[in-house]
Amino acid sequence: MTNDPLLRETYVHGHAPAVVRQHGMRTAEEAAAFLLPELSPEMRLLDVGCGPGSITVGLAERLPGGEVVAIDLSQETLAQARLDAEARGVKNLLYEYGSVYELAYPDASFDVAYAHQVFQHLTDRQAALREMLRVVKPGGLLAVRDVDWGSVTYWPPDPWLDRFVDVYEKTARGLGGEPRMGRRLRALFHEAGVSDVHVTGAVWCYATREETVTWGDSYADRLLTSSMGERQVETGLSTQAEIEAMAEAFRVWARKPDALWAFTHMAALGRKPAS
Ligand SMILES: C[S@@+](CC[C@H](N)C(=O)[O-])C[C@H]1O[C@@H](n2cnc3c(N)ncnc32)[C@H](O)[C@@H]1O
């Protein structure tokens, strides 16, 4: 826990290497596919909750005459993201510490505000979207993408993995988040008065040995080395022994020749009304 006033809530996954490594594999091509056709090179884009920045650099590369500002609450992750951007020679990109609830930017100062896999972790999602709307110009774009944990399908079945999905959802909700955010994005945008709302869905499907091992081991490591396991114990939803059993089940399942994991990710794109 922290006294930092910006940290109004607890990010359930934490920022251990097992988490950040997995996020660092994401790309703008995939994670912002719904937004890319709308971008033009001079735009100014805000990336909220940028994590390790692997999506962010891809966005900055598409805006050579513009700029990307990316914020997150993890100083350590931001420091690594800055080094990566430097190594890739991306200069039109600024990483700053900050919370979506209190953006340190003037009204109407961005053409686009984007958030990938962030809203599911927020306790006050309307306040967050309102703040993103504030900093976007009239007619500018709002782009938010989130998973829906209620759509998880996997094979072969394992009682510990079923238990994990159940406990994960309860833990995330107990911390004020919404693990089934994907299905609620259209409602979120409508409630905030966003116009021209268009929602699309895509499935992440892991069905090769490399993919299932990367995924299964990442969740095993998150359970054992990141705050995810601690939160489940703190909230009384699991014992430490159960956390260890879930982690082991993930590793064993991931190496089964028939292993497959899939879940749906929804993306909402809309515009700030002109007046
Ligand atoms: C699941 S990660 C997503 C990272 C990146 N967007 C991606 O998709 O790889 C969620 C990120 O949101 C950040 N976050 C959580 N609450 C936040 C807040 N109130 N303001 C800004 N960032 C926040 C976390 O620190 C974390 O890095």
Side-chain angles (χ1 to χ4, degrees):
M1 283 299 175
T2 170
N3 293 323
D4 188 329
L6 284 186
L7 300 180
R8 291 212 332 224
E9 58 224 335
T10 313
Y11 173 47
V12 62
H13 292 256
H15 296 90
V19 180
V20 176
R21 209 170 29 242
Q22 178 85 23
H23 294 165
M25 295 163 69
R26 296 176 181 164
T27 62
E29 286 76 16
E30 196 283 328
F34 68 107
L35 170 65
L36 297 183
E38 306 295 327
L39 296 182
S40 45
E42 301 77 30
M43 282 181 166
R44 215 167 165 252
L45 181 148
L46 176 68
D47 183 5
V48 164
C50 60
S54 60
I55 303 167
T56 325
V57 282
L59 291 170
E61 283 168 349
R62 281 171 174 77
L63 304 174
E67 186 187 30
V68 172
V69 178
I71 62 155
D72 203 284
L73 290 174
S74 167
Q75 293 279 23
E76 209 183 322
T77 311
L78 287 168
Q80 188 54 50
R82 286 186 193 107
L83 292 177
D84 286 349
E86 210 179 305
R88 272 174 77 158
V90 179
K91 301 213 184 309
N92 57 334
L93 167 55
L94 196 63
Y95 285 109
E96 296 190 325
Y97 178 75
S99 169
V100 65
Y101 296 121
E102 296 162 45
L103 295 171
Y105 312 108
D107 295 357
S109 51
F110 290 93
D111 300 292
V112 187
Y114 167 78
H116 189 255
Q117 310 294 0
V118 178
F119 272 69
Q120 65 197 276
H121 301 295
L122 301 176
T123 53
D124 193 344
R125 298 172 281 277
Q126 270 306 328
L129 192 57
R130 267 200 309 276
E131 189 60 353
M132 286 168 69
L133 270 164
R134 181 184 68 74
V135 301
V136 166
K137 296 173 186 165
L141 290 163
L142 280 303
V144 175
R145 191 185 197 216
D146 272 279
V147 69
D148 190 314
W149 274 85
S151 69
V152 168
T153 53
Y154 77 94
W155 192 262
D158 182 301
W160 283 115
L161 265 61
D162 287 347
R163 177 136 167 81
F164 168 78
V165 174
D166 180 50
V167 170
Y168 173 76
E169 289 210 77
K170 287 181 175 142
T171 308
R173 247 183 229 118
L175 292 168
E178 174 46 277
R180 299 187 178 192
M181 193 61 222
R183 72 187 65 183
R184 296 179 62 168
L185 285 178
R186 194 171 179 214
L188 178 88
F189 271 42
H190 282 162
E191 202 183 323
V194 178
S195 67
D196 304 328
V197 179
H198 182 56
V199 176
T200 47
V203 174
W204 290 6
C205 178
Y206 306 126
T208 66
R209 183 178 168 91
E210 196 190 341
E211 288 168 348
T212 56
V213 168
T214 302
W215 183 249
D217 284 2
S218 167
Y219 269 79
D221 290 346
R222 287 178 203 220
L223 281 160
L224 298 176
T225 66
S226 192
S227 50
M228 180 191 273
E230 287 164 33
R231 301 278 173 261
Q232 296 185 5
V233 176
E234 269 168 27
T235 47
L237 288 164
S238 297
T239 63
Q240 186 56 34
E242 288 171 327
I243 297 287
E244 282 163 26
M246 288 183 231
E248 179 57 16
F250 260 119
R251 288 196 207 285
V252 171
W253 164 83
R255 287 162 178 78
K256 291 188 173 166
D258 300 332
L260 179 152
W261 178 288
F263 53 6
T264 308
H265 297 254
M266 254 66 87
L269 187 66
R271 289 192 184 276
K272 177 170 174 170
S275 58

